[in-house]
Amino acid sequence: MESTIYVIHFMTDVAEVVYLIDREAPKLPATISAKPENGNIRLVWAASASADCDYYELYRKEEGTEEYTLIETLKGRYSTEYMDRQVEEGKCYEYVLRTGDAYFNESQYSEAVTVEVDEDLSVPAIVSMLPKAGRVNQTTDITIVADDNRSVATIRLQYREESSEEWIDLGEVQAKENEATYAWDTTKLTDGVYMVRAIAVDISGNESVKEF
């Protein structure tokens, strides 16, 4: 009786991969400074010396309080400046910062920097007022765009007849993201030429006037 012999060949493959375990947080900036600037606080720091620095976390607390609050996460190693507008004149604030990488390895907090908010002397500016000069009737929406180093709080509108020097209040509207719209009812006015001006008021009470 004949017998059959089977030869089985086993083929193998080996893959070798090198992994790097990274538990080290990026280095803190060498310097961090905070300076008052017209009712705001400008913070500037040196870029982290670590190439893998992915973000900075900036924390603030009011002097006399216990806990810091995260106010901003800035992405990128070279994001090294922040303007804090959510502060109040005359108050002191402390800031600390820490770094993190893409794997959320985070550093210890930096040493605190303390700064007092100065007075806001910057006047808001009226950027535009629409519709532009021309004929209007019935109820006309007047849209005003303003700009401020902090934030525009309200827009006040006034009008006068061309032959008069007396300005008459039209109304005041709250600004949202530095823009406001006022519905001007002209039906009670006689035909003629009228001058309209907008007065922007920022959150510090500074005013600017522009006539259109």
Side-chain angles (χ1 to χ4, degrees):
M1 181 177 180
E2 294 183 358
S3 60
T4 304
I5 300 174
Y6 296 92
V7 178
I8 300 174
H9 296 278
F10 292 94
M11 301 183 67
T12 61
D13 188 20
V14 177
E16 185 175 305
V17 180
V18 177
Y19 293 100
L20 174 66
I21 297 175
D22 178 11
R23 295 193 180 96
E24 185 176 352
K27 295 183 183 301
L28 280 168
T31 59
I32 176 172
S33 65
K35 295 181 180 180
E37 189 173 299
N38 269 323
N40 302 315
I41 300 296
R42 182 181 295 277
L43 294 113
V44 180
W45 54 92
S48 170
S50 301
D52 65 342
C53 179
D54 186 58
Y55 62 89
Y56 301 94
E57 287 184 344
L58 187 62
Y59 293 79
R60 176 191 65 212
K61 77 179 183 75
E62 188 177 332
E63 192 176 56
T65 61
E66 295 298 323
E67 293 187 5
Y68 284 97
T69 300
L70 175 65
I71 60 171
E72 192 68 35
T73 300
L74 298 99
K75 293 287 290 182
R77 180 185 176 191
Y78 296 103
S79 298
T80 58
E81 186 172 332
Y82 180 75
M83 181 74 82
D84 188 6
R85 293 181 168 85
Q86 305 303 314
V87 291
E88 296 181 36
E89 292 180 23
K91 290 188 175 182
C92 288
Y93 296 88
E94 291 183 10
Y95 296 87
V96 293
L97 178 145
R98 70 176 177 179
T99 59
D101 63 19
Y103 301 101
F104 301 103
N105 295 311
E106 294 179 327
S107 70
Q108 298 296 315
Y109 295 102
S110 67
E111 291 188 9
V113 290
T114 304
V115 62
E116 181 178 351
V117 184
D118 63 355
E119 185 180 2
D120 177 18
L121 300 175
S122 181
V123 175
I126 302 292
V127 177
S128 66
M129 184 169 168
L130 297 173
K132 295 182 179 180
R135 292 181 181 273
V136 297
N137 61 16
Q138 302 301 318
T139 298
T140 298
D141 284 342
I142 301 176
T143 299
I144 305 96
V145 177
D147 186 38
D148 187 63
N149 67 310
R150 299 193 69 195
S151 180
V152 177
T154 61
I155 302 288
R156 189 165 67 251
L157 288 163
Q158 298 177 329
Y159 77 95
R160 67 176 176 85
E161 294 185 58
E162 187 179 35
S163 59
S164 173
E165 296 297 323
E166 180 186 3
W167 286 99
I168 300 170
D169 287 334
L170 272 175
E172 187 173 52
V173 286
Q174 295 293 317
K176 184 178 181 181
E177 296 182 354
N178 295 342
E179 183 175 320
T181 298
Y182 177 79
W184 182 23
D185 181 5
T186 67
T187 58
K188 295 183 174 71
L189 299 175
T190 58
D191 290 356
V193 177
Y194 294 85
M195 314 299 291
V196 176
R197 70 179 182 182
I199 302 167
V201 184
D202 68 15
I203 59 176
S204 299
N206 298 310
E207 295 186 1
S208 67
V209 179
K210 191 161 186 178
E211 190 174 314
F212 289 82

